[in-house]
Amino acid sequence: MRFDEYVQHDATALADLVRRGEVSPAELLDAAIARADGTRELNAIVCRLDESARTQARRAPSPQARFGGVPFLVKDLFQDIAGVPTSSGSKALARQPAPEDSDVVRRWREAGLIIFGKTNTPEFGARNVTEPTLWGPTRNPWDLHRTPGGSSGGSAAAVAAGVVPVAGANDGGGSIRIPAAACGLFGLKAGRGRISMGPLMAEGMNGAAVQGVVSRSVRDSAAMLDILQGPEPHAPYHMPVPPRPYVEAMRADTGRLRIGFTTESPVGTPVDPEAVAAVQDAATLLASLGHHVEPVPQPVNGLHLAEDFLLAWFCTQALIVDTLRDTAHATPADFENDTRLMAAVGRSVSAVELLKCEARWHEHNRALARYHAEHDLWLTPTLSAPPPAIGSMDTPWALDLLSDVVSRVGLAGRLRHSQAFQTTVRHNLAWTPYTQLANLTGRPAMSVPLHWTPAGLPLGVQFVAPLNGEALLLQLAAQLEQARPWAHQRPPL
């Protein structure tokens, strides 16, 4: 199969071709591998599994397999393949084989997907750009000088470039929606408890992190959610199974939705005119489809939410670093400076302070619930600006040097309250101030690729739904996909 034929199909269509005998899994895998080889400048894939994939592709998939014979990539973070290292973008884990498959990987295999590689991610997924020291930066197919975002930047770059139609991703602060918005893809973050993080993990960052995919089509994401959702015996909790499959539910009419929107940053930072235009254009489109759309003030105190999110985030980095120090004999040299700084800041947080922070998460949840009592969905930009240049999010060298010293002498608590540290954190959060709300509250959310800038860069918009609102999001996304198709939009690569 030629690339120009291969890229015309989403994963659902490719699986149908295999099922009808019009193409073989081996032919699809050859097309995917050839495209991966031809787009190495993206640095999207950091681990290749071509031989094991070819072995699988020689076996006929089960006729019942939803995605039998379709090539697939998983993210090199929280998506373990037994016997293969999950580096998580870190030198500390680059040579540690995973003991068993993650639940999501097992389910993808059962669905017939052929996994031939793992995609790039920042160290421990802790940044909103994919530029780990270990593997180097991933580049955006729409502009090689810009980032595809993070932390699922490798997966998003690969899908946008046509290597695969859908790829594994996960989202702890926007890491599905951010790269989807930056790469012109559809990205759905499921609600808390919908998809297992196991078996080795109970939950990610108190339930803020969830598994999922980035895709070119809404129906692929719906089918993937059908595959991944549902209880596991080791999961600490789970959401109830939906009354009908998401691929069926997405075809239902939404009715007239009440949608509130804003273009203002919840943390008071500047918003690029293109991000404003993306939301205003989406609001106009929604109104033309019969929905009630109106500007609404921020439903949650954005500054307080950001502070509470980051405090827990830093503590999570401390847990990761200290665990690897104890179990994998990692040394400070095995971690990036930014990671060491975040971990040091996390260690400076007392147990009582963290518990108070987590208690405040519920207050943010209640505030969003009050909003959803009056509106079906919340609409914002996904990003405050088009994707920035590679390296533009780097920590300033002076703070980088200071943080190394501070971490070693145990003064991270003071640094946490310093103007330089807070300015740097605010600068990095300014590009992605909208996405953490859904993670902290555990609500489903999605980024939809409805806008491209005059320079040809994608810039998605975000919708946040109430509890158990995945079906509603998919229904609206399918409606928007039909009204404003995006699958034909291809990067000049």
Side-chain angles (χ1 to χ4, degrees):
M1 175 176 273
R2 300 192 315 269
F3 173 71
D4 61 338
E5 299 172 311
Y6 171 75
V7 79
Q8 295 295 326
H9 302 281
D10 66 0
T12 301
L14 290 177
D16 286 343
L17 292 176
V18 172
R19 203 171 289 115
R20 295 197 301 267
E22 296 180 26
V23 68
S24 71
E27 289 175 295
L28 293 184
L29 182 61
D30 285 343
I33 288 175
R35 183 59 172 171
D37 289 340
T39 55
R40 289 184 184 272
E41 67 267 39
L42 295 177
N43 195 32
I45 306 172
V46 296
C47 173
R48 294 285 290 266
L49 303 168
D50 294 11
E51 291 311 308
S52 62
R54 291 189 191 281
T55 298
Q56 183 184 349
R58 287 193 288 268
R59 298 193 292 265
S62 166
Q64 286 75 42
R66 176 70 66 84
F67 289 111
V70 176
F72 192 66
L73 296 166
V74 302
K75 183 177 176 179
D76 198 25
L77 176 73
F78 302 141
Q79 296 180 356
D80 296 339
I81 298 174
V84 177
T86 300
S87 77
S88 303
S90 177
K91 181 181 175 183
L93 286 171
R95 291 185 174 86
Q96 299 285 330
E100 56 186 309
D101 285 353
S102 295
D103 290 334
V104 290
V105 169
R106 188 193 78 245
R107 292 190 180 207
W108 282 325
R109 290 190 193 279
E110 291 170 351
L113 291 159
I114 297 178
I115 300 170
F116 71 99
K118 306 194 76 177
T119 60
N120 204 3
T121 185
E123 189 167 51
F124 308 127
R127 299 186 65 206
N128 55 10
V129 293
T130 301
E131 301 177 20
T133 300
L134 176 65
W135 303 119
T138 294
R139 299 183 179 276
N140 193 317
W142 294 91
D143 182 342
L144 297 181
H145 299 290
R146 296 176 183 263
T147 180
S151 65
S152 306
S155 289
V159 174
V163 177
V164 288
V166 60
N170 38 51
D171 191 317
S175 294
I176 287 174
R177 291 157 290 153
I178 293 166
C183 292
L185 305 175
F186 178 67
L188 174 70
K189 182 201 86 71
R192 183 174 298 153
R194 179 66 63 195
I195 302 171
S196 170
M197 289 291 291
L200 299 181
M201 293 181 65
E203 57 181 3
M205 206 179 91
N206 303 322
V210 301
Q211 302 274 30
V213 299
V214 287
S215 68
R216 287 205 304 266
S217 73
V218 176
R219 68 176 182 175
D220 276 358
S221 284
M224 284 290 181
L225 188 55
D226 282 328
I227 289 168
L228 298 179
Q229 70 87 29
E232 291 284 351
H234 43 256
Y237 48 76
H238 68 270
M239 292 289 288
V241 175
R244 54 179 168 167
Y246 288 110
V247 288
E248 292 180 13
M250 65 172 276
R251 302 188 189 107
D253 183 20
T254 63
R256 187 171 189 256
L257 298 178
R258 299 163 300 168
I259 302 174
F261 73 91
T262 188
T263 58
E264 295 181 358
S265 167
V267 296
T269 48
V271 179
D272 189 277
E274 284 299 325
V276 174
V279 170
Q280 291 175 338
D281 182 42
T284 301
L285 176 61
L286 289 162
S288 74
L289 295 172
H291 302 297
H292 174 75
V293 188
E294 61 179 344
V296 175
Q298 297 283 347
V300 176
N301 187 309
L303 281 173
H304 291 170
L305 183 137
E307 291 168 357
D308 291 335
F309 176 83
L310 290 172
L311 192 73
W313 192 265
F314 295 149
C315 291
T316 298
Q317 299 309 304
L319 174 63
I320 292 171
V321 169
D322 290 359
T323 299
L324 290 177
R325 180 194 61 198
D326 296 338
T327 62
H329 309 293
T331 68
D334 291 321
F335 305 103
E336 297 178 13
N337 268 3
D338 284 354
T339 300
R340 292 200 299 271
L341 175 60
M342 285 187 283
V345 170
R347 291 187 204 99
S348 75
V349 178
S350 71
V352 172
E353 189 178 4
L354 179 59
L355 288 172
K356 286 181 178 179
C357 165
E358 292 174 354
R360 290 192 298 271
W361 284 29
H362 184 58
E363 295 306 313
H364 302 308
N365 205 343
R366 292 182 65 196
L368 184 59
R370 286 192 292 270
Y371 168 81
H372 277 134
E374 301 293 332
H375 297 83
D376 297 296
L377 297 171
W378 171 240
L379 167 63
T380 71
T382 309
L383 310 169
S384 70
I390 297 286
S392 62
M393 296 287 193
D394 288 353
T395 301
W397 70 267
L399 182 60
D400 197 39
L401 179 63
L402 177 62
S403 69
D404 189 48
V405 175
V406 167
S407 299
R408 283 190 277 111
V409 299
L411 295 176
R414 293 186 183 180
L415 181 64
R416 172 159 62 111
H417 300 290
S418 72
Q419 186 62 48
F421 180 75
Q422 293 181 3
T423 298
T424 299
V425 169
R426 192 179 178 90
H427 168 72
N428 279 277
L429 192 62
W431 184 48
T432 55
Y434 303 100
T435 53
Q436 294 80 29
L437 171 64
N439 298 90
L440 191 147
T441 60
R443 270 40 186 172
M446 67 180 180
S447 181
V448 186
L450 296 178
H451 185 75
W452 267 256
T453 72
L457 297 172
L459 196 56
V461 294
Q462 177 186 233
F463 295 86
V464 180
L467 189 69
N468 205 30
E470 289 90 347
L472 178 61
L473 288 174
L474 288 165
Q475 288 162 8
L476 179 61
Q479 186 182 59
L480 293 170
E481 184 181 37
Q482 184 175 13
R484 183 81 61 80
W486 56 74
H488 65 284
Q489 300 268 22
R490 300 273 161 69
L493 186 69

